Each structure stands twice: as C-alpha cells, then as structure tokens.
C-alpha cells in the first residue's frame, strides 16, 4: 500500500494533511466547536502524537488513515453532524477523471505503521527551546500553499527498480557493482522530476510579472469600477452603490498555484477598504460587521 501511495498520491497526502490543519487553526473547520468533529480532528491527532513521542504504530490497524479520510470526505461533500459545509474545493474529490490521485487515495487503506510516522513528522515539530508540540499552521498563507504545490510539481516519490546511486549531477542512476548504493531495490525514494513542469504546461507567474499585471490591468479596472460607485453616491443613490460595490470580478483562466489571484485579492481588498474609509456605505459596512462566515478553503487543484 505504501508503494501505491508513493506513486499516485504523495502530493495530495501532503497538501491534504496541511490544508486540514490550516483550516482547523483558521476556524474554517469546527475544531473546538463540535465534539463529534473533535474526535476525528487532525489537531487531536497532533496533540496525541506530541503527548507520546515514543508511541509505536500498529501494523494492522488503520485508525489514523480512517480519521484522515473522514475529514477529507467531509470537506469535499460536507457533514451536517460535524457542522462542516460541502466546500468542494477539488483537492479531495474522488472523481477518477478530474482527480486521479484523489480516487486512488480513496481506494487505499494505509495501516498506522505505514501512515503514522509520516503524519507525526508533518504535524509535530521542535520549538526553539527544544519543546516538541503540534505545529501551528495559522501563519501559513495561501501563497505559501502555492509554493508548496509548485515544489511538489518538480518532485516525486518512486520505487527503485534496482539498486540506485547518485551521479555527479545528483540524479539517481542504476548503481554499478563498485558504486555506493543510495537506494536499495524496492525502496521508496524522493527525487526531482526534471522537465515535468514544462511537459505538463504547469507554470506560475513570477512576482515581478504579477505586480506589473496588477498595475497595468487591475488598477485601471478598479479605478473605473469605484468611480461608478462614487458617482452613484454623489447623486444619493446609496442602494444602487451598495449593490454595485461588490460587483467586481477577476478571472485567471490559466490558474496554477494561484499566485496572481491571491495578489489580486490582496490589492482589491486594500483598494475597497480605502474607498470605504473615504466614501462610507452604511449597508456595506453593516454587511462587513456581521463577522466571518464559512467560506471555501483555499484548496489547490
């Protein structure tokens, strides 16, 4: 089973586990608010790992995998008993056409011995004072999720068909009889997938290009939009201004890891906030004052 996981869903396992913990820390999942959810929560697992760092993992039980799979299913399809809406971000989809890795993971049952050590290493870390505890994912940004995704595009887990050594360029190659063996036959190893990004058309927009696009394309559109809202306010039509205010859309039809869209949202938020400070719209301010409501997770494709 671990071999199948290595070749079909390694990226999804990493992103899915981090995304779930991030959502719990950001209160997007009901950790601490729903006891039914808490029994299966990723943070509950993290606290358990941190409380007993020497615990062993059973070679036949699948409790850890079952808990993680139940959370992924809830995020994808919802769970009313847990107060989790159907976020349906795509990362946890079981559809074999749109998400082959998700379908492969849904068909698997990793034992605690196979899944536990990797999950513990991901969820527990050592602080500056040497104390070990659950990782706090609250400071992780959506851009950092994108960076993780980009890194995973360039990397892969594979199963060594025979003994492997490293050549002068640091790439794994079949080992000769007189060479040091880095990976034994049948072992899972981590390596770079050179050219994979190019062959699949997976690219991301560099920061300097993102800023240029925002300055040249987004800013003029924002100025035009907010000018229309201001014109309505100047003639006293507050209701029409409130309705128009949020009627602004940005599309990235070739979105990969979301770097451009995340930067665009940051820019839009800053401009909208500055506009409301100068031209208050009571209806909009009342809507913003209602506090955060459930919103889709920033899940990656």
């Amino acid at each position: 089973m671990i071999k199948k996981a290595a070749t079909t869903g390694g990226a999804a396992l990493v992103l899915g586990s981090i995304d779930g913990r991030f959502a719990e820390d950001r209160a997007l999942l009901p950790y601490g608010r729903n006891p039914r959810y808490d029994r299966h929560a990723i943070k509950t697992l993290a606290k358990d790992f941190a409380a007993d760092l020497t615990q062993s993992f059973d070679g036949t039980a699948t409790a850890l995998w079952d808990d993680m799979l139940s959370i992924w299913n809830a995020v994808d399809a919802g769970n009313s008993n847990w107060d989790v809406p159907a976020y349906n971000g795509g990362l946890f989809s079981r559809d074999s056409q749109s998400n082959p890795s998700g379908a492969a993971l849904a068909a698997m049952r990793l034992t605690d011995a196979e899944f536990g050590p990797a999950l513990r290493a991901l969820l527990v870390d050592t602080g500056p004072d040497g104390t070990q505890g659950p990782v706090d994912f609250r400071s992780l940004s959506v851009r950092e999720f994108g960076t993780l995704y980009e890194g995973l595009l360039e990397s892969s887990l594979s199963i060594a068909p025979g003994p492997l050594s490293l050549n002068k360029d640091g790439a794994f190659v079949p080992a000769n009889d007189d060479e040091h063996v880095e990976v034994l036959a049948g072992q899972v190893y981590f390596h770079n997938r050179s050219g994979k990004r190019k062959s699949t058309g997976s690219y991301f927009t560099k920061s300097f290009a993102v800023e240029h696009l925002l300055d040249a394309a987004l800013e003029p559109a924002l100025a035009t939009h907010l000018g229309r809202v201001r014109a309505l306010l100047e003639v006293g039509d507050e209701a029409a201004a409130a309705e128009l205010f949020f009627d602004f859309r940005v599309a990235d039809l070739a979105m990969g890891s979301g770097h451009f869209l995340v930067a665009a949202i940051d820019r839009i938020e800053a401009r909208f906030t500055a506009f409301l400070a100068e031209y208050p719209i009571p209806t909009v301010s009342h809507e913003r004052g209602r506090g955060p409501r459930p919103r889709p997770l920033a899940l990656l494709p």
Side-chain angles (χ1 to χ4, degrees):
M1 281 299 185
I2 191 65
K3 294 180 180 179
K4 189 174 183 181
T7 56
T8 61
L13 280 171
V14 173
L15 290 174
S17 301
I18 294 176
D19 224 340
R21 279 290 292 111
F22 172 84
E24 289 176 356
D25 280 341
R26 289 292 186 92
L28 297 172
L29 289 174
Y31 178 80
R33 304 192 305 274
N34 186 304
R36 296 186 185 90
Y37 177 84
D38 289 354
R39 288 195 290 269
H40 305 271
I42 304 175
K43 192 164 187 175
T44 300
L45 294 177
K47 288 183 175 180
D48 183 59
F49 290 151
D52 184 7
L53 296 172
T54 63
Q55 68 175 290
S56 58
F57 297 101
D58 192 277
T60 58
T62 60
L64 296 174
W65 181 258
D66 293 340
D67 280 343
M68 192 66 68
L69 197 61
S70 66
I71 292 175
W72 293 343
N73 292 341
V75 171
D76 182 50
N79 187 321
S80 59
N81 289 330
W82 291 1
D83 296 324
V84 177
Y87 286 109
N88 190 26
L91 178 62
F92 304 111
S93 171
R94 296 182 173 190
D95 183 76
S96 59
Q97 298 299 316
S98 62
N99 190 11
S101 294
L105 291 175
M108 294 167 52
R109 294 293 297 278
L110 297 184
T111 67
D112 289 358
E114 293 168 332
F115 189 44
L119 189 61
R120 178 169 59 189
L122 188 64
L123 299 179
V124 178
D125 199 9
T126 303
D129 61 352
T131 302
Q132 290 186 307
V135 176
D136 186 350
F137 287 91
R138 283 176 293 184
S139 61
L140 191 65
S141 71
V142 177
R143 293 192 190 189
E144 288 168 315
F145 270 111
T147 301
L148 286 171
Y149 177 64
E150 291 155 10
L152 290 169
L153 280 177
E154 293 286 6
S155 305
S156 181
L157 292 173
S158 295
I159 302 167
L164 302 178
S165 62
L166 289 173
N167 64 14
K168 62 180 181 180
D169 297 320
F172 287 100
V173 295
N176 295 322
D177 293 338
D178 58 343
E179 291 182 322
H180 175 71
V181 175
E182 297 285 345
V183 182
L184 298 175
Q187 284 189 334
V188 175
Y189 69 104
F190 184 76
H191 64 99
N192 179 271
R193 296 192 294 179
S194 179
K196 183 65 175 179
R197 187 190 294 272
K198 181 178 180 180
S199 67
T200 59
S202 302
Y203 298 94
F204 69 97
T205 310
K206 298 287 188 179
S207 296
F208 77 89
V210 168
E211 294 304 315
H212 177 72
L213 285 170
L214 295 179
D215 292 338
L218 180 62
E219 286 291 352
L222 277 170
T224 300
H225 172 72
L226 293 175
R228 293 168 58 202
V229 176
R230 182 172 59 251
L232 291 172
L233 290 173
E234 289 173 349
V235 298
D237 196 345
E238 181 185 303
E243 184 176 355
L244 178 63
F245 184 77
F246 288 114
D247 188 14
F248 187 84
R249 295 172 175 83
V250 175
D252 183 356
L253 301 182
M255 188 192 78
S257 54
H259 275 57
F260 172 75
L261 281 180
V262 171
I265 291 170
D266 289 343
R267 187 76 68 94
I268 292 168
E269 180 186 17
R271 287 297 304 274
F272 276 23
T273 300
F275 180 88
L276 290 175
E278 187 173 358
Y279 302 97
I281 306 176
T283 304
V284 174
S285 299
H286 174 72
E287 182 70 15
R288 294 176 65 209
R290 293 172 62 187
R293 291 170 291 173
R295 63 187 188 273
L297 295 175
L299 303 181
L300 301 172

